PDB file of all heavy atoms in Angstrom:
ATOM      1  N   ALA A 323      50.868  32.541  11.189  1.00  0.00           N
ATOM      2  CA  ALA A 323      51.995  33.451  11.460  1.00  0.00           C
ATOM      3  C   ALA A 323      53.176  32.633  11.837  1.00  0.00           C
ATOM      4  O   ALA A 323      54.332  32.950  11.357  1.00  0.00           O
ATOM      5  CB  ALA A 323      51.635  34.396  12.529  1.00  0.00           C
ATOM      6  N   ALA A 326      54.560  30.768   8.579  1.00  0.00           N
ATOM      7  CA  ALA A 326      55.144  31.897   7.792  1.00  0.00           C
ATOM      8  C   ALA A 326      56.378  32.259   8.260  1.00  0.00           C
ATOM      9  O   ALA A 326      57.488  32.372   7.415  1.00  0.00           O
ATOM     10  CB  ALA A 326      54.284  33.046   7.616  1.00  0.00           C
ATOM     11  N   LEU A 327      56.623  32.276   9.612  1.00  0.00           N
ATOM     12  CA  LEU A 327      57.945  32.744  10.260  1.00  0.00           C
ATOM     13  C   LEU A 327      59.039  31.673  10.055  1.00  0.00           C
ATOM     14  O   LEU A 327      60.080  31.947   9.629  1.00  0.00           O
ATOM     15  CB  LEU A 327      57.756  33.013  11.609  1.00  0.00           C
ATOM     16  CG  LEU A 327      59.022  33.367  12.439  1.00  0.00           C
ATOM     17  CD1 LEU A 327      59.688  34.602  11.901  1.00  0.00           C
ATOM     18  CD2 LEU A 327      58.776  33.422  13.968  1.00  0.00           C
ATOM     19  N   VAL A 328      58.578  30.361  10.190  1.00  0.00           N
ATOM     20  CA  VAL A 328      59.437  29.239   9.925  1.00  0.00           C
ATOM     21  C   VAL A 328      59.881  29.202   8.548  1.00  0.00           C
ATOM     22  O   VAL A 328      61.159  28.836   8.230  1.00  0.00           O
ATOM     23  CB  VAL A 328      58.816  27.933  10.352  1.00  0.00           C
ATOM     24  CG1 VAL A 328      59.672  26.732  10.104  1.00  0.00           C
ATOM     25  CG2 VAL A 328      58.520  27.871  11.882  1.00  0.00           C
ATOM     26  N   LYS A 329      58.964  29.412   7.576  1.00  0.00           N
ATOM     27  CA  LYS A 329      59.313  29.337   6.120  1.00  0.00           C
ATOM     28  C   LYS A 329      60.221  30.332   5.833  1.00  0.00           C
ATOM     29  O   LYS A 329      61.281  30.290   5.075  1.00  0.00           O
ATOM     30  CB  LYS A 329      58.017  29.498   5.403  1.00  0.00           C
ATOM     31  CG  LYS A 329      58.212  29.342   3.924  1.00  0.00           C
ATOM     32  CD  LYS A 329      56.865  29.427   3.165  1.00  0.00           C
ATOM     33  CE  LYS A 329      57.086  29.197   1.735  1.00  0.00           C
ATOM     34  NZ  LYS A 329      55.805  29.267   0.962  1.00  0.00           N
ATOM     35  N   GLU A 330      60.002  31.679   6.377  1.00  0.00           N
ATOM     36  CA  GLU A 330      60.989  32.883   6.089  1.00  0.00           C
ATOM     37  C   GLU A 330      62.317  32.608   6.748  1.00  0.00           C
ATOM     38  O   GLU A 330      63.430  33.026   6.211  1.00  0.00           O
ATOM     39  CB  GLU A 330      60.264  34.103   6.337  1.00  0.00           C
ATOM     40  CG  GLU A 330      59.052  34.243   5.564  1.00  0.00           C
ATOM     41  CD  GLU A 330      59.339  34.549   4.081  1.00  0.00           C
ATOM     42  OE1 GLU A 330      60.351  34.692   3.570  1.00  0.00           O
ATOM     43  OE2 GLU A 330      58.283  34.163   3.354  1.00  0.00           O
ATOM     44  N   ARG A 331      62.322  32.043   7.869  1.00  0.00           N
ATOM     45  CA  ARG A 331      63.584  31.777   8.730  1.00  0.00           C
ATOM     46  C   ARG A 331      64.503  30.866   7.889  1.00  0.00           C
ATOM     47  O   ARG A 331      65.656  30.976   7.993  1.00  0.00           O
ATOM     48  CB  ARG A 331      63.257  31.367  10.062  1.00  0.00           C
ATOM     49  CG  ARG A 331      64.501  31.121  10.954  1.00  0.00           C
ATOM     50  CD  ARG A 331      65.041  32.507  11.168  1.00  0.00           C
ATOM     51  NE  ARG A 331      66.260  32.499  12.165  1.00  0.00           N
ATOM     52  CZ  ARG A 331      66.163  32.545  13.374  1.00  0.00           C
ATOM     53  NH1 ARG A 331      64.976  32.874  13.957  1.00  0.00           N
ATOM     54  NH2 ARG A 331      67.261  32.487  14.183  1.00  0.00           N
ATOM     55  N   ARG A 333      64.629  30.588   4.800  1.00  0.00           N
ATOM     56  CA  ARG A 333      65.192  31.371   3.808  1.00  0.00           C
ATOM     57  C   ARG A 333      66.165  32.374   4.216  1.00  0.00           C
ATOM     58  O   ARG A 333      66.703  33.136   3.247  1.00  0.00           O
ATOM     59  CB  ARG A 333      64.037  31.969   2.911  1.00  0.00           C
ATOM     60  CG  ARG A 333      63.185  31.001   2.169  1.00  0.00           C
ATOM     61  CD  ARG A 333      62.099  31.738   1.503  1.00  0.00           C
ATOM     62  NE  ARG A 333      61.161  30.960   0.852  1.00  0.00           N
ATOM     63  CZ  ARG A 333      60.217  31.276   0.236  1.00  0.00           C
ATOM     64  NH1 ARG A 333      59.789  32.574   0.041  1.00  0.00           N
ATOM     65  NH2 ARG A 333      59.276  30.465  -0.367  1.00  0.00           N
ATOM     66  N   GLY A 334      66.362  32.544   5.371  1.00  0.00           N
ATOM     67  CA  GLY A 334      67.339  33.542   5.995  1.00  0.00           C
ATOM     68  C   GLY A 334      66.638  34.899   6.045  1.00  0.00           C
ATOM     69  O   GLY A 334      67.362  35.812   6.310  1.00  0.00           O
ATOM     70  N   LEU A 335      65.385  35.006   6.084  1.00  0.00           N
ATOM     71  CA  LEU A 335      64.543  36.206   6.310  1.00  0.00           C
ATOM     72  C   LEU A 335      63.752  36.135   7.642  1.00  0.00           C
ATOM     73  O   LEU A 335      63.506  34.996   8.111  1.00  0.00           O
ATOM     74  CB  LEU A 335      63.619  36.555   5.078  1.00  0.00           C
ATOM     75  CG  LEU A 335      64.335  36.507   3.733  1.00  0.00           C
ATOM     76  CD1 LEU A 335      63.272  36.705   2.732  1.00  0.00           C
ATOM     77  CD2 LEU A 335      65.327  37.658   3.759  1.00  0.00           C
ATOM     78  N   ARG A 336      63.412  37.258   8.123  1.00  0.00           N
ATOM     79  CA  ARG A 336      62.533  37.355   9.356  1.00  0.00           C
ATOM     80  C   ARG A 336      61.649  38.630   9.107  1.00  0.00           C
ATOM     81  O   ARG A 336      61.993  39.555   9.438  1.00  0.00           O
ATOM     82  CB  ARG A 336      63.432  37.581  10.526  1.00  0.00           C
ATOM     83  CG  ARG A 336      62.723  37.517  11.776  1.00  0.00           C
ATOM     84  CD  ARG A 336      63.570  37.573  13.048  1.00  0.00           C
ATOM     85  NE  ARG A 336      62.790  37.659  14.225  1.00  0.00           N
ATOM     86  CZ  ARG A 336      63.233  37.731  15.516  1.00  0.00           C
ATOM     87  NH1 ARG A 336      64.644  37.818  15.721  1.00  0.00           N
ATOM     88  NH2 ARG A 336      62.450  37.623  16.512  1.00  0.00           N
ATOM     89  N   LEU A 337      60.499  38.202   8.593  1.00  0.00           N
ATOM     90  CA  LEU A 337      59.541  39.253   8.241  1.00  0.00           C
ATOM     91  C   LEU A 337      58.437  39.356   9.190  1.00  0.00           C
ATOM     92  O   LEU A 337      57.752  40.367   9.412  1.00  0.00           O
ATOM     93  CB  LEU A 337      58.810  38.968   6.927  1.00  0.00           C
ATOM     94  CG  LEU A 337      59.901  38.804   5.716  1.00  0.00           C
ATOM     95  CD1 LEU A 337      59.104  38.464   4.524  1.00  0.00           C
ATOM     96  CD2 LEU A 337      60.677  40.060   5.604  1.00  0.00           C
ATOM     97  N   VAL A 338      58.203  38.435  10.102  1.00  0.00           N
ATOM     98  CA  VAL A 338      57.139  38.272  10.988  1.00  0.00           C
ATOM     99  C   VAL A 338      57.753  38.519  12.377  1.00  0.00           C
ATOM    100  O   VAL A 338      58.495  37.757  12.817  1.00  0.00           O
ATOM    101  CB  VAL A 338      56.302  37.052  11.095  1.00  0.00           C
ATOM    102  CG1 VAL A 338      55.205  37.038  11.947  1.00  0.00           C
ATOM    103  CG2 VAL A 338      55.777  36.911   9.595  1.00  0.00           C
ATOM    104  N   PRO A 339      57.276  39.470  13.190  1.00  0.00           N
ATOM    105  CA  PRO A 339      57.923  39.701  14.508  1.00  0.00           C
ATOM    106  C   PRO A 339      57.450  38.628  15.446  1.00  0.00           C
ATOM    107  O   PRO A 339      56.344  38.034  15.244  1.00  0.00           O
ATOM    108  CB  PRO A 339      57.217  40.987  15.000  1.00  0.00           C
ATOM    109  CG  PRO A 339      55.962  41.199  14.239  1.00  0.00           C
ATOM    110  CD  PRO A 339      56.299  40.525  12.852  1.00  0.00           C
ATOM    111  N   MET A 340      58.253  38.231  16.459  1.00  0.00           N
ATOM    112  CA  MET A 340      58.041  37.144  17.363  1.00  0.00           C
ATOM    113  C   MET A 340      56.825  37.441  18.357  1.00  0.00           C
ATOM    114  O   MET A 340      56.224  36.605  18.746  1.00  0.00           O
ATOM    115  CB  MET A 340      59.368  36.888  18.221  1.00  0.00           C
ATOM    116  CG  MET A 340      60.511  36.344  17.371  1.00  0.00           C
ATOM    117  SD  MET A 340      60.217  34.812  16.604  1.00  0.00           S
ATOM    118  CE  MET A 340      60.029  33.849  18.072  1.00  0.00           C
ATOM    119  N   SER A 342      54.078  38.605  17.551  1.00  0.00           N
ATOM    120  CA  SER A 342      52.659  38.269  17.057  1.00  0.00           C
ATOM    121  C   SER A 342      52.347  36.894  17.110  1.00  0.00           C
ATOM    122  O   SER A 342      51.318  36.480  16.936  1.00  0.00           O
ATOM    123  CB  SER A 342      52.805  38.703  15.500  1.00  0.00           C
ATOM    124  OG  SER A 342      53.707  37.750  14.778  1.00  0.00           O
TER     125      SER A 342
END
Side-chain angles (χ1 to χ4, degrees):
L327 176 62
V328 173
K329 185 177 180 180
E330 299 299 337
R331 185 62 178 270
R333 295 179 181 177
L335 302 175
R336 185 176 179 182
L337 302 180
V338 182
M340 297 295 295
S342 66

